[in-house]
Amino acid sequence: MDRIKIRGGAPLNGTIPISGAKNAALPLMTASLLTADTLELHNVPRLADVATLLRILENHGVDHAVAGKRPGQTTETGQTIRLSAGTVIDTCAPYELVSRMRASFWVIAPLLARFGEARVSMPGGCAIGTRPVDLLLSALEKMGVAIEIEGGYVHAKAPKGVRGAEVVFPKVTVSGTHVALMAATLATGTTVIENAAREPEVVDLAECLAKMGARISGAGTSRIVVDGVSRLNGASHAVMPDRIETGTYAMAVAMTGGDVTLENTRPELLRSALDVLETVGVEISESNKGIRIHRNGSGLRPADVTTDPFPGFPTDLQAQFMALMTRAGGTSRIRETIFENRFMHVGELARFGAQIRLEGDCAIVDGVGRLKGAPVMATDLRASVSLVIAGLAAEGETEIHRVYHLDRGFEALEAKLARCGADIERLRAS
Ligand code: UD1
């Protein structure tokens, strides 16, 4: 298995192009199943999760073409993918594929909406808590879908088609909102989704669905209304910038010091995280090129943070912020409210000399002056990148094992950091 080796201590200076958002690309690709026409997606990141979803769509019979690189494009520029679900040959999504990535379960919604039937394996993905699908299934049941669970598979049927309904989520769920939204586009009648997720990725999906002919209002608020239509058409859509990648590199610069402009991204996608970074002593300015992150030699102040659904502080930046606070001059409290068991990075950060203790859903971080490089193990997608950030600032050498987690969500990570001065390399498994 590949490893990443980092010699820490170098500040980061330069520009980093931000890729298309993984968490938007996945539902957008899934939406291709809603139409027999071609859906063209631009700015799709080159990631293992995208490749996994392409295999799942292929298994359903979706044709896909990935456009070749154009002159001037680098491996850091997103790709264009054309997806055509003209002939769907199978409405079953098998265990071998779905178990690799939780988001692949979402194919259940377009398959049901267009074909009235789907058989989808229960999902897998990052080991961050139990991550059930009960809310997704009860939303579908509300929409007239009969659900049976057998042998690890969800068998969902709506022989007369999906029905518009009032879906009230008892807690905010991004996956639930994506699924209800996709199912509602081809339902008979009107669907109202209450307590909907307001995440920008939901808005991106809704915008693409609207281009495909869906009738949606309220995306980005907690009440989304969808008037079902009988068919959707093809469309062309550019995936929004990755706000988690943006926040991750912002925290890397905050950690090492330096001056980096994050290009092709937008501050409003991660306002809460940028506000916290300013509180701890990072200088941030915005221009039409992107977001400039600057920290000189001055120390970092501690801060208390609680993760929340958008527009709150994202859970997907919690591990990275914890890495940052290990170097603050004082004590920070970081509370995780979205996922239980999302503190697996704590033990690994301790290997750098970090002082962190857990009290229930709260991590209490006592800042230490310096971190020391260490061999560490990546445990999940966002936790892994917190180890990269710690390694960049630590004295000496860090070796990160199991980096396949990073490849699921960060496009050209080493190249982007190396061009800003980081001493980082991938050691390929022989
Ligand atoms: C998405 C993101 C993930 C992010 C998360 C929260 C993708 C591919 N992944 O995950 O990176 O961390 O949003 O912003 O977009 N829940 C239930 N029952 C359900 C569904 C969810 O109890 O049926 C719980 C989850 O266990 C979790 C909470 O609800 O505790 C939020 O989950 P959800 O918003 O659905 O996260 P994902 O969509 O899986």
Side-chain angles (χ1 to χ4, degrees), residues 203-232:
V203 179
D204 209 31
L205 174 63
E207 281 175 1
C208 178
L209 292 170
K211 289 179 193 166
M212 294 165 72
R215 295 177 55 199
I216 302 168
S217 61
T221 75
S222 40
R223 185 171 193 269
I224 303 178
V225 180
V226 186
D227 288 319
V229 295
S230 57
R231 72 174 292 276
L232 293 175

mmCIF file of all heavy atoms in Angstrom, residues 203-232:
data_model
loop_
_atom_site.group_PDB
_atom_site.id
_atom_site.type_symbol
_atom_site.label_atom_id
_atom_site.label_comp_id
_atom_site.label_asym_id
_atom_site.label_seq_id
_atom_site.Cartn_x
_atom_site.Cartn_y
_atom_site.Cartn_z
ATOM 1 N N VAL A 203 -27.800 22.492 -2.963
ATOM 2 C CA VAL A 203 -28.161 23.558 -3.913
ATOM 3 C C VAL A 203 -27.597 23.218 -5.299
ATOM 4 O O VAL A 203 -28.271 23.375 -6.316
ATOM 5 C CB VAL A 203 -27.616 24.922 -3.422
ATOM 6 C CG1 VAL A 203 -27.952 26.031 -4.407
ATOM 7 C CG2 VAL A 203 -28.165 25.244 -2.036
ATOM 8 N N ASP A 204 -26.357 22.713 -5.325
ATOM 9 C CA ASP A 204 -25.735 22.373 -6.609
ATOM 10 C C ASP A 204 -26.547 21.280 -7.313
ATOM 11 O O ASP A 204 -26.814 21.364 -8.521
ATOM 12 C CB ASP A 204 -24.295 21.886 -6.370
ATOM 13 C CG ASP A 204 -23.380 22.173 -7.547
ATOM 14 O OD1 ASP A 204 -23.598 23.186 -8.243
ATOM 15 O OD2 ASP A 204 -22.451 21.386 -7.794
ATOM 16 N N LEU A 205 -26.955 20.274 -6.541
ATOM 17 C CA LEU A 205 -27.769 19.205 -7.132
ATOM 18 C C LEU A 205 -29.092 19.784 -7.648
ATOM 19 O O LEU A 205 -29.507 19.482 -8.782
ATOM 20 C CB LEU A 205 -28.034 18.106 -6.085
ATOM 21 C CG LEU A 205 -28.992 16.995 -6.530
ATOM 22 C CD1 LEU A 205 -28.436 16.206 -7.702
ATOM 23 C CD2 LEU A 205 -29.305 16.036 -5.359
ATOM 24 N N ALA A 206 -29.735 20.620 -6.840
ATOM 25 C CA ALA A 206 -31.031 21.186 -7.247
ATOM 26 C C ALA A 206 -30.884 22.021 -8.519
ATOM 27 O O ALA A 206 -31.748 21.982 -9.403
ATOM 28 C CB ALA A 206 -31.614 22.029 -6.112
ATOM 29 N N GLU A 207 -29.765 22.759 -8.612
ATOM 30 C CA GLU A 207 -29.567 23.592 -9.816
ATOM 31 C C GLU A 207 -29.420 22.721 -11.058
ATOM 32 O O GLU A 207 -29.956 23.031 -12.122
ATOM 33 C CB GLU A 207 -28.331 24.488 -9.644
ATOM 34 C CG GLU A 207 -28.654 25.697 -8.784
ATOM 35 C CD GLU A 207 -27.443 26.568 -8.459
ATOM 36 O OE1 GLU A 207 -26.317 26.259 -8.919
ATOM 37 O OE2 GLU A 207 -27.641 27.553 -7.721
ATOM 38 N N CYS A 208 -28.690 21.634 -10.920
ATOM 39 C CA CYS A 208 -28.512 20.736 -12.066
ATOM 40 C C CYS A 208 -29.847 20.078 -12.425
ATOM 41 O O CYS A 208 -30.216 19.996 -13.602
ATOM 42 C CB CYS A 208 -27.447 19.703 -11.738
ATOM 43 S SG CYS A 208 -27.188 18.524 -13.065
ATOM 44 N N LEU A 209 -30.597 19.639 -11.398
ATOM 45 C CA LEU A 209 -31.896 19.006 -11.665
ATOM 46 C C LEU A 209 -32.833 19.993 -12.366
ATOM 47 O O LEU A 209 -33.599 19.615 -13.261
ATOM 48 C CB LEU A 209 -32.525 18.501 -10.351
ATOM 49 C CG LEU A 209 -31.812 17.319 -9.664
ATOM 50 C CD1 LEU A 209 -32.387 17.077 -8.270
ATOM 51 C CD2 LEU A 209 -31.925 16.049 -10.516
ATOM 52 N N ALA A 210 -32.756 21.264 -11.956
ATOM 53 C CA ALA A 210 -33.603 22.279 -12.603
ATOM 54 C C ALA A 210 -33.231 22.411 -14.082
ATOM 55 O O ALA A 210 -34.108 22.520 -14.952
ATOM 56 C CB ALA A 210 -33.463 23.611 -11.882
ATOM 57 N N LYS A 211 -31.913 22.351 -14.387
ATOM 58 C CA LYS A 211 -31.493 22.397 -15.804
ATOM 59 C C LYS A 211 -32.037 21.190 -16.563
ATOM 60 O O LYS A 211 -32.250 21.242 -17.765
ATOM 61 C CB LYS A 211 -29.961 22.385 -15.916
ATOM 62 C CG LYS A 211 -29.298 23.666 -15.471
ATOM 63 C CD LYS A 211 -27.787 23.535 -15.610
ATOM 64 C CE LYS A 211 -27.082 24.664 -14.891
ATOM 65 N NZ LYS A 211 -25.640 24.398 -14.710
ATOM 66 N N MET A 212 -32.231 20.083 -15.837
ATOM 67 C CA MET A 212 -32.751 18.864 -16.475
ATOM 68 C C MET A 212 -34.280 18.914 -16.611
ATOM 69 O O MET A 212 -34.889 17.967 -17.114
ATOM 70 C CB MET A 212 -32.344 17.632 -15.648
ATOM 71 C CG MET A 212 -30.841 17.385 -15.624
ATOM 72 S SD MET A 212 -30.332 16.224 -14.318
ATOM 73 C CE MET A 212 -30.930 14.676 -14.950
ATOM 74 N N GLY A 213 -34.879 19.990 -16.092
ATOM 75 C CA GLY A 213 -36.327 20.144 -16.251
ATOM 76 C C GLY A 213 -37.122 19.937 -14.970
ATOM 77 O O GLY A 213 -38.356 19.986 -14.996
ATOM 78 N N ALA A 214 -36.433 19.720 -13.838
ATOM 79 C CA ALA A 214 -37.159 19.532 -12.567
ATOM 80 C C ALA A 214 -37.693 20.872 -12.075
ATOM 81 O O ALA A 214 -37.140 21.929 -12.394
ATOM 82 C CB ALA A 214 -36.232 18.923 -11.531
ATOM 83 N N ARG A 215 -38.784 20.790 -11.299
ATOM 84 C CA ARG A 215 -39.390 22.028 -10.783
ATOM 85 C C ARG A 215 -39.197 22.059 -9.263
ATOM 86 O O ARG A 215 -39.909 21.393 -8.519
ATOM 87 C CB ARG A 215 -40.858 22.079 -11.181
ATOM 88 C CG ARG A 215 -40.973 22.185 -12.719
ATOM 89 C CD ARG A 215 -42.381 22.170 -13.208
ATOM 90 N NE ARG A 215 -43.182 23.200 -12.593
ATOM 91 C CZ ARG A 215 -44.513 23.182 -12.556
ATOM 92 N NH1 ARG A 215 -45.175 22.172 -13.104
ATOM 93 N NH2 ARG A 215 -45.187 24.149 -11.984
ATOM 94 N N ILE A 216 -38.185 22.828 -8.854
ATOM 95 C CA ILE A 216 -37.747 22.824 -7.449
ATOM 96 C C ILE A 216 -37.676 24.259 -6.954
ATOM 97 O O ILE A 216 -37.147 25.133 -7.638
ATOM 98 C CB ILE A 216 -36.330 22.205 -7.337
ATOM 99 C CG1 ILE A 216 -36.317 20.777 -7.897
ATOM 100 C CG2 ILE A 216 -35.831 22.219 -5.893
ATOM 101 C CD1 ILE A 216 -34.927 20.196 -8.088
ATOM 102 N N SER A 217 -38.199 24.511 -5.736
ATOM 103 C CA SER A 217 -37.936 25.813 -5.127
ATOM 104 C C SER A 217 -37.502 25.593 -3.677
ATOM 105 O O SER A 217 -37.843 24.588 -3.056
ATOM 106 C CB SER A 217 -39.172 26.711 -5.195
ATOM 107 O OG SER A 217 -40.228 26.112 -4.485
ATOM 108 N N GLY A 218 -36.725 26.528 -3.171
ATOM 109 C CA GLY A 218 -36.339 26.495 -1.753
ATOM 110 C C GLY A 218 -35.033 25.766 -1.460
ATOM 111 O O GLY A 218 -34.652 25.660 -0.286
ATOM 112 N N ALA A 219 -34.321 25.260 -2.473
ATOM 113 C CA ALA A 219 -33.044 24.581 -2.167
ATOM 114 C C ALA A 219 -32.089 25.589 -1.532
ATOM 115 O O ALA A 219 -31.972 26.719 -1.998
ATOM 116 C CB ALA A 219 -32.440 24.001 -3.442
ATOM 117 N N GLY A 220 -31.440 25.176 -0.450
ATOM 118 C CA GLY A 220 -30.581 26.101 0.298
ATOM 119 C C GLY A 220 -31.303 26.640 1.530
ATOM 120 O O GLY A 220 -30.693 27.280 2.378
ATOM 121 N N THR A 221 -32.621 26.366 1.628
ATOM 122 C CA THR A 221 -33.374 26.686 2.838
ATOM 123 C C THR A 221 -33.805 25.347 3.457
ATOM 124 O O THR A 221 -33.590 24.290 2.866
ATOM 125 C CB THR A 221 -34.639 27.520 2.550
ATOM 126 O OG1 THR A 221 -35.634 26.649 1.968
ATOM 127 C CG2 THR A 221 -34.363 28.655 1.588
ATOM 128 N N SER A 222 -34.450 25.407 4.620
ATOM 129 C CA SER A 222 -34.830 24.132 5.231
ATOM 130 C C SER A 222 -36.185 23.628 4.748
ATOM 131 O O SER A 222 -36.695 22.633 5.253
ATOM 132 C CB SER A 222 -34.773 24.219 6.752
ATOM 133 O OG SER A 222 -35.248 25.432 7.169
ATOM 134 N N ARG A 223 -36.772 24.288 3.751
ATOM 135 C CA ARG A 223 -38.039 23.790 3.172
ATOM 136 C C ARG A 223 -37.905 23.780 1.651
ATOM 137 O O ARG A 223 -37.862 24.842 1.009
ATOM 138 C CB ARG A 223 -39.196 24.695 3.610
ATOM 139 C CG ARG A 223 -40.553 24.214 3.163
ATOM 140 C CD ARG A 223 -41.636 25.063 3.842
ATOM 141 N NE ARG A 223 -42.947 24.470 3.696
ATOM 142 C CZ ARG A 223 -43.773 24.729 2.701
ATOM 143 N NH1 ARG A 223 -43.413 25.578 1.742
ATOM 144 N NH2 ARG A 223 -44.947 24.132 2.643
ATOM 145 N N ILE A 224 -37.848 22.593 1.098
ATOM 146 C CA ILE A 224 -37.715 22.471 -0.361
ATOM 147 C C ILE A 224 -39.032 21.933 -0.914
ATOM 148 O O ILE A 224 -39.597 20.976 -0.366
ATOM 149 C CB ILE A 224 -36.562 21.513 -0.746
ATOM 150 C CG1 ILE A 224 -35.247 21.987 -0.133
ATOM 151 C CG2 ILE A 224 -36.422 21.393 -2.257
ATOM 152 C CD1 ILE A 224 -34.047 21.084 -0.416
ATOM 153 N N VAL A 225 -39.524 22.561 -1.971
ATOM 154 C CA VAL A 225 -40.770 22.112 -2.596
ATOM 155 C C VAL A 225 -40.466 21.649 -4.015
ATOM 156 O O VAL A 225 -39.788 22.351 -4.774
ATOM 157 C CB VAL A 225 -41.814 23.258 -2.623
ATOM 158 C CG1 VAL A 225 -43.114 22.796 -3.269
ATOM 159 C CG2 VAL A 225 -42.065 23.775 -1.209
ATOM 160 N N VAL A 226 -40.944 20.448 -4.343
ATOM 161 C CA VAL A 226 -40.687 19.889 -5.678
ATOM 162 C C VAL A 226 -42.016 19.496 -6.316
ATOM 163 O O VAL A 226 -42.784 18.719 -5.740
ATOM 164 C CB VAL A 226 -39.799 18.618 -5.581
ATOM 165 C CG1 VAL A 226 -39.402 18.133 -6.975
ATOM 166 C CG2 VAL A 226 -38.570 18.855 -4.721
ATOM 167 N N ASP A 227 -42.293 20.047 -7.490
ATOM 168 C CA ASP A 227 -43.456 19.610 -8.268
ATOM 169 C C ASP A 227 -42.968 18.567 -9.258
ATOM 170 O O ASP A 227 -42.143 18.877 -10.136
ATOM 171 C CB ASP A 227 -44.075 20.796 -9.030
ATOM 172 C CG ASP A 227 -44.788 21.749 -8.074
ATOM 173 O OD1 ASP A 227 -45.471 21.257 -7.150
ATOM 174 O OD2 ASP A 227 -44.623 22.968 -8.226
ATOM 175 N N GLY A 228 -43.464 17.353 -9.128
ATOM 176 C CA GLY A 228 -42.981 16.269 -9.983
ATOM 177 C C GLY A 228 -43.302 16.518 -11.454
ATOM 178 O O GLY A 228 -44.321 17.121 -11.791
ATOM 179 N N VAL A 229 -42.409 16.040 -12.334
ATOM 180 C CA VAL A 229 -42.649 16.111 -13.784
ATOM 181 C C VAL A 229 -42.568 14.684 -14.336
ATOM 182 O O VAL A 229 -42.083 13.776 -13.660
ATOM 183 C CB VAL A 229 -41.616 17.025 -14.501
ATOM 184 C CG1 VAL A 229 -41.755 18.469 -14.065
ATOM 185 C CG2 VAL A 229 -40.181 16.537 -14.249
ATOM 186 N N SER A 230 -43.064 14.487 -15.571
ATOM 187 C CA SER A 230 -43.118 13.109 -16.069
ATOM 188 C C SER A 230 -41.785 12.635 -16.660
ATOM 189 O O SER A 230 -41.512 11.451 -16.721
ATOM 190 C CB SER A 230 -44.239 12.956 -17.095
ATOM 191 O OG SER A 230 -44.019 13.881 -18.122
ATOM 192 N N ARG A 231 -40.959 13.567 -17.120
ATOM 193 C CA ARG A 231 -39.635 13.143 -17.598
ATOM 194 C C ARG A 231 -38.620 14.273 -17.433
ATOM 195 O O ARG A 231 -38.993 15.457 -17.392
ATOM 196 C CB ARG A 231 -39.683 12.662 -19.052
ATOM 197 C CG ARG A 231 -39.877 13.731 -20.105
ATOM 198 C CD ARG A 231 -39.759 13.164 -21.511
ATOM 199 N NE ARG A 231 -38.422 12.724 -21.869
ATOM 200 C CZ ARG A 231 -37.459 13.521 -22.336
ATOM 201 N NH1 ARG A 231 -37.663 14.808 -22.493
ATOM 202 N NH2 ARG A 231 -36.269 13.016 -22.672
ATOM 203 N N LEU A 232 -37.371 13.884 -17.351
ATOM 204 C CA LEU A 232 -36.297 14.876 -17.281
ATOM 205 C C LEU A 232 -35.429 14.740 -18.518
ATOM 206 O O LEU A 232 -35.365 13.663 -19.131
ATOM 207 C CB LEU A 232 -35.447 14.663 -16.021
ATOM 208 C CG LEU A 232 -36.152 14.932 -14.685
ATOM 209 C CD1 LEU A 232 -35.247 14.579 -13.516
ATOM 210 C CD2 LEU A 232 -36.605 16.389 -14.557
#
